[in-house]
Amino acid sequence: MTFSMVPSSQGIDKQHLHITISEKLKQKIETGEYEPGERLPSEFDLGQVFGVSRTTIRKAIGNLIQQGLVTTQQGKGIFVTEQHKISFSMANPLMYFDSALKQQGYVGQVQSLRFQRIKATSDVSRKLQLPAKDTEVYWQEKIIYADDSPIALDVTYYPVAIGESLAEKLQQGFTYSTLVKNGIHLNAAEVSLESIPASYELSEYLAIPLGMPLLVFNYLVYHQQHQPAVCGKTLSRSDWTCYTAEIEVDQPDFSTLVDPL
């Protein structure tokens, strides 16, 4: 007798069964029911457990592969991957993503989704110190990959002079590295960190479930005499990335304290 672990298809869109199944398998991995290095049941066995076709199981496993939770080995099966996050240090606000990826054993690459000249919002104009009205900037969106896995979406705004002169190069490389290699020496930055849930569009770009938490690294970077060079935000997958900082606190000099009594 086969027992289904998913709700009846009467209440679920069959096209989304693979998402439900991948989320259940993900939960088992995160709770340790399936441990790192352990082989998952075969596609056939999983199909029997969940009461679905092998095609649906393959889609569910594909979701887990995209999230970096499992890998497939030809002729051997599906295995849970060792879970470790890519760390980005906030000690230096001029964070070079490509360098951080390389230091941790990943090949970093980008895929430019759009690069176009648009009218700047009041917020972007303020950050880039541009006139308040009728000012244009170059807007870019690109996906950042670690090896073949999409880990972040970078949204950037450039002054027109920078966008026009480096258009082709900015669409092929990482933002900070491209600017520096082309004579724009970055020397200061303002940054902040927050979190948002993934929208439908972001879930499509980064191959993650709708609503999954994303870490948002906001930045405004300067060059020359405190002139803004670029502003934007990097929305990174919380299952792949983390931000760290080392803080040292000087030992207080208690001898200078006066007892109020």
Side-chain angles (χ1 to χ4, degrees), residues 125-141:
S125 292
R126 177 183 58 81
K127 290 179 178 177
L128 295 180
Q129 299 179 14
L130 304 173
K133 294 182 179 180
D134 299 324
T135 300
E136 294 186 331
V137 294
Y138 273 90
W139 164 48
Q140 182 178 28
E141 287 189 347

Side-chain angles (χ1 to χ4, degrees), residues 2-259:
T2 300
F3 297 93
S4 174
M5 294 179 63
V6 297
S8 169
S9 60
Q10 294 179 353
I12 292 183
D13 186 339
K14 290 184 178 181
Q15 292 182 347
H16 296 96
L17 273 175
H18 65 96
I19 297 177
T20 301
I21 294 170
S22 64
E23 285 301 295
K24 287 182 176 294
L25 291 172
K26 177 182 177 181
Q27 184 178 19
K28 290 178 180 291
I29 292 171
E30 291 179 340
T31 57
E33 187 170 338
Y34 293 132
E35 297 183 348
E38 182 177 350
R39 185 174 64 183
L40 296 185
S42 67
E43 290 180 355
F44 176 81
D45 289 338
L46 287 173
Q48 292 289 101
V49 170
F50 288 103
V52 297
S53 68
R54 292 182 68 176
T55 299
T56 300
I57 293 297
R58 288 193 188 102
K59 290 182 179 179
I61 295 301
N63 293 339
L64 297 179
I65 292 173
Q66 290 180 326
Q67 295 178 59
L69 295 172
V70 302
T71 57
T72 58
Q73 297 182 23
Q74 186 68 31
K76 295 183 178 180
I78 309 157
F79 293 84
V80 179
T81 58
E82 296 284 346
Q83 293 302 301
H84 63 280
K85 294 188 176 183
I86 300 171
S87 176
F88 298 102
S89 174
M90 295 187 70
N92 180 0
L94 290 173
M95 187 183 305
Y96 289 75
F97 268 73
D98 46 344
S99 297
L101 290 170
K102 184 177 180 180
Q103 289 171 1
Q104 295 172 70
Y106 293 94
V107 176
Q109 54 185 332
V110 299
Q111 175 191 356
S112 186
L113 301 175
R114 55 181 57 87
F115 188 91
Q116 61 192 77
R117 189 165 172 165
I118 63 168
K119 182 178 179 180
T121 65
S122 58
D123 182 59
V124 170
S125 292
R126 177 183 58 81
K127 290 179 178 177
L128 295 180
Q129 299 179 14
L130 304 173
K133 294 182 179 180
D134 299 324
T135 300
E136 294 186 331
V137 294
Y138 273 90
W139 164 48
Q140 182 178 28
E141 287 189 347
K142 58 177 174 284
I143 299 175
I144 297 175
Y145 289 84
D147 294 338
D148 296 322
S149 297
I151 64 166
L153 177 73
D154 196 39
V155 182
T156 49
Y157 300 93
Y158 309 94
V160 168
I162 292 177
E164 284 186 345
S165 62
L166 299 178
E168 183 176 351
K169 294 177 180 178
L170 287 170
Q171 293 179 75
Q172 297 174 355
F174 286 80
T175 301
Y176 290 4
S177 297
T178 301
L179 293 175
V180 171
K181 288 176 182 177
N182 289 276
I184 300 175
H185 300 294
L186 310 177
N187 54 28
E190 299 174 16
V191 301
S192 65
L193 190 63
E194 59 182 319
S195 176
I196 63 168
S199 64
Y200 178 78
E201 184 179 42
L202 288 169
S203 69
E204 290 288 306
Y205 285 152
L206 300 178
I208 56 176
L210 181 67
M212 177 177 172
L214 296 174
L215 300 174
V216 183
F217 183 78
N218 301 293
Y219 55 87
L220 169 57
V221 182
Y222 299 91
H223 69 123
Q224 295 178 350
Q225 297 181 348
H226 211 65
Q227 293 297 310
V230 61
C231 69
K233 57 187 176 181
T234 304
L235 303 98
S236 58
R237 289 171 48 166
S238 58
D239 60 334
W240 263 90
T241 63
C242 66
Y243 291 85
T244 63
E246 295 182 4
I247 301 174
E248 293 186 5
V249 180
D250 293 334
Q251 185 68 25
D253 184 1
F254 292 105
S255 65
T256 62
L257 298 180
V258 177
D259 189 342

